[in-house]
Amino acid sequence: MVSNVSKDEALKSASSIVALLSQGSDPFISEEVRVEALQAANLVIRALEKPEDGLIKFAFSPATWMAVRVCAQLNVFDIIARNETISATEIAKNGNADETLIRRLLRVLTAAGFVAERGDGLYGPTHWTVHINSRLAQGMIKFMYDASMLPISHGPNWLKETGYQNPIDPQHGMFQAANHTDLPTFQWLAVPKNKDIWDNANTFFEGDRGSRPSWLTWFPAKDKLFPQGHDQDTPLLVDVAGGRGHDLMDFLAKYPDEPGPFVLQDQEPVLESATSLSPKIKKQVFDLFTDSPVKGARIYFMKFILHDYMNEQCIQILANVKASMVKGYSYLVINDFVLPDTGCGLLQSQWDLMMMVLLSSMERTETQWKTLLESAGLSIEGIYSPPGDGQGIIVATL
């Protein structure tokens, strides 16, 4: 990131935005152009915003996050999304809340563009309102706020007390200190009293790619991984710890004529909540650390799994996958961030810190991925970059 942006640099960036957005006749710009234009727009903003003002705005931003969470709790976004114009009085009555409180919360959200202001105490939807009201966005808001805010607030003191060491112990991290537990985060989430947070987490996992394109839209999966089909006595693809099967369903949508079989593996409560799967998909209860996936599959797919763990745990997980792979036939496909050594984007670097806060884990650079997979006895066929700033693909074999 550039700390100081001159007037000339800002003008150059503004000109590049116009040029980028003028490319072609298609109203939908490509992911690469979108990300490049956003980066240029951020340079313009930094040129116009004085550091004093920018830092104050940043310091007060948690208040916006709190307002979003409370309004989600009161179903305010749903109410507004269903009405062209609605009053604070009606919103407050619906949520059994104080009208003055509703006005104060929505004052922030209208300023942020999340809700439209139609007049004094009158509100309507924007495209942000509609998105925030979606099931996946609601899961993200509730899980990320409820699971992360307390550990984040503990972060500075926890790091000071531990001598500013990089967190590596999944049983003794910021999350455990904040929640007074020595359970690893996923075990804590599985405790019955935390069911709502765990449900919201699994909903968020369905949409954690955001608007970024699926790997299946830019990576030639069939050409590289199963150009001549596969042995139909064994699975074409096993989605290892695949949640509710959203990525596996994307695969089936891309390749509807592939006969499978396909296997979705995860913990039993997660699989029970996966209710909209293709009949081609077999559910299989699975534990990353104790079980090997079904043997002999063509593809073992792991999206956002290994970033949840440090190397020691990852090597144990990979050993279980290796035990099921067939040399010369099976592929391990990892869909995860591959951080650049320099010039890392804001989203990826924030995601890395969130892994640190919640799981005492990390996102990895290309060098770190190579070191991990080689340590696990795997050979890297290739590391492939996505368009824009999404998750990459790492293909490994025995």
Side-chain angles (χ1 to χ4, degrees):
M1 290 182 66
V2 179
S3 57
N4 295 300
V5 181
S6 68
K7 178 181 177 182
D8 288 344
E9 289 172 319
L11 287 170
K12 183 179 178 181
S13 294
S15 298
S16 72
I17 295 170
V18 174
L20 286 164
L21 297 182
S22 300
Q23 292 181 12
S25 58
D26 193 326
F28 300 102
I29 59 176
S30 70
E31 184 68 8
E32 298 97 321
V33 168
R34 183 187 74 84
V35 171
E36 191 175 347
L38 276 173
Q39 291 170 343
N42 283 328
L43 288 176
V44 175
I45 290 171
R46 288 210 299 275
L48 295 174
E49 189 168 55
K50 295 181 179 180
E52 300 89 339
D53 299 331
L55 189 58
I56 289 174
K57 183 177 71 176
F58 183 74
F60 281 82
S61 62
T64 305
W65 192 207
M66 185 270 290
V68 170
R69 181 64 183 95
V70 174
C71 285
Q73 194 165 290
L74 291 171
N75 296 318
V76 171
F77 296 106
D78 182 58
I79 296 166
I80 295 176
R82 290 187 284 106
N83 292 274
E84 182 60 29
T85 302
I86 189 167
S87 69
T89 303
E90 293 173 277
I91 296 170
K93 182 179 179 180
N94 186 279
N96 195 29
D98 182 80
E99 181 180 340
T100 301
L101 171 65
I102 294 298
R103 283 175 173 260
R104 294 178 71 185
L105 295 171
L106 290 178
R107 185 183 295 145
V108 173
L109 301 189
T110 56
F114 297 163
V115 172
E117 194 169 37
R118 304 283 195 229
D120 183 12
L122 298 175
Y123 307 95
T126 68
H127 67 291
W128 273 89
T129 316
V130 174
H131 172 69
I132 291 173
N133 189 47
S134 70
R135 182 180 67 88
L136 298 184
Q138 287 284 304
M140 184 274 289
I141 290 165
K142 293 172 182 177
F143 168 64
M144 293 303 294
Y145 191 95
D146 297 350
S148 73
M149 290 301 286
L150 196 58
I152 286 172
S153 70
H154 275 66
N157 282 339
W158 187 90
L159 288 168
K160 182 178 179 180
E161 291 168 2
T162 56
Y164 298 102
Q165 298 300 300
N166 187 47
I168 60 172
D169 186 344
Q171 291 183 270
H172 301 95
M174 299 176 202
F175 186 90
Q176 285 69 35
N179 290 288
H180 306 288
T181 182
D182 59 1
L183 290 174
T185 303
F186 286 117
Q187 290 185 27
W188 183 89
L189 288 168
V191 173
K193 70 175 183 178
N194 301 320
K195 181 181 182 301
D196 287 346
I197 301 178
W198 187 219
D199 284 345
N200 287 325
N202 280 289
T203 301
F204 166 49
F205 298 157
E206 292 182 58
D208 57 14
R209 191 176 68 239
S211 67
R212 290 159 184 81
S214 162
W215 69 290
L216 296 165
T217 66
W218 59 268
F219 181 82
K222 184 173 178 62
D223 292 344
K224 281 192 172 289
L225 304 175
F226 54 106
Q228 307 301 325
H230 72 291
D231 178 1
Q232 293 183 23
D233 291 331
T234 59
L236 171 57
L237 188 147
V238 177
D239 197 350
V240 182
R244 292 173 177 162
H246 40 283
D247 293 299
L248 189 45
M249 290 295 287
D250 283 348
F251 188 92
L252 285 168
K254 177 70 175 180
Y255 302 109
D257 296 329
E258 293 299 327
F262 302 92
V263 179
L264 174 64
Q265 297 182 318
D266 213 306
Q267 300 174 48
E268 187 169 6
V270 179
L271 294 177
E272 288 175 352
S273 69
T275 57
S276 302
L277 296 177
S278 163
K280 292 182 179 181
I281 297 173
K282 175 186 176 183
K283 297 180 184 180
Q284 188 177 79
V285 177
F286 175 80
D287 185 293
L288 275 171
F289 293 100
T290 60
D291 300 326
S292 294
V294 60
K295 295 186 182 300
R298 183 68 165 176
I299 303 167
Y300 295 91
F301 180 73
M302 303 180 80
K303 181 196 167 195
F304 270 169
I305 303 302
L306 297 178
H307 78 162
D308 291 338
Y309 304 98
M310 295 301 284
N311 284 6
E312 182 180 352
Q313 292 81 30
C314 285
I315 288 173
Q316 184 180 350
I317 292 168
L318 291 170
N320 289 334
V321 177
K322 279 177 57 183
S324 296
M325 295 173 71
V326 175
K327 190 169 184 177
Y329 179 77
S330 299
Y331 292 99
L332 170 62
V333 176
I334 299 167
N335 188 197
D336 216 318
F337 285 125
V338 181
L339 304 184
D341 290 319
T342 61
C344 186
L346 182 59
L347 173 68
Q348 297 95 321
S349 55
Q350 287 176 325
W351 210 294
D352 176 51
L353 288 189
M354 196 60 75
M355 292 297 99
M356 179 180 75
V357 167
L358 292 176
L359 296 159
S360 296
S361 63
M362 64 191 294
E363 303 295 345
R364 291 176 171 87
T365 64
E366 182 171 332
T367 300
Q368 289 169 327
W369 277 115
K370 288 178 178 177
T371 299
L372 171 63
L373 293 172
E374 289 168 3
S375 298
L378 289 161
S379 175
I380 297 177
E381 183 276 334
I383 297 179
Y384 303 90
S385 298
D389 59 353
Q391 299 92 43
I393 285 291
I394 304 164
V395 178
T397 58
L398 290 178

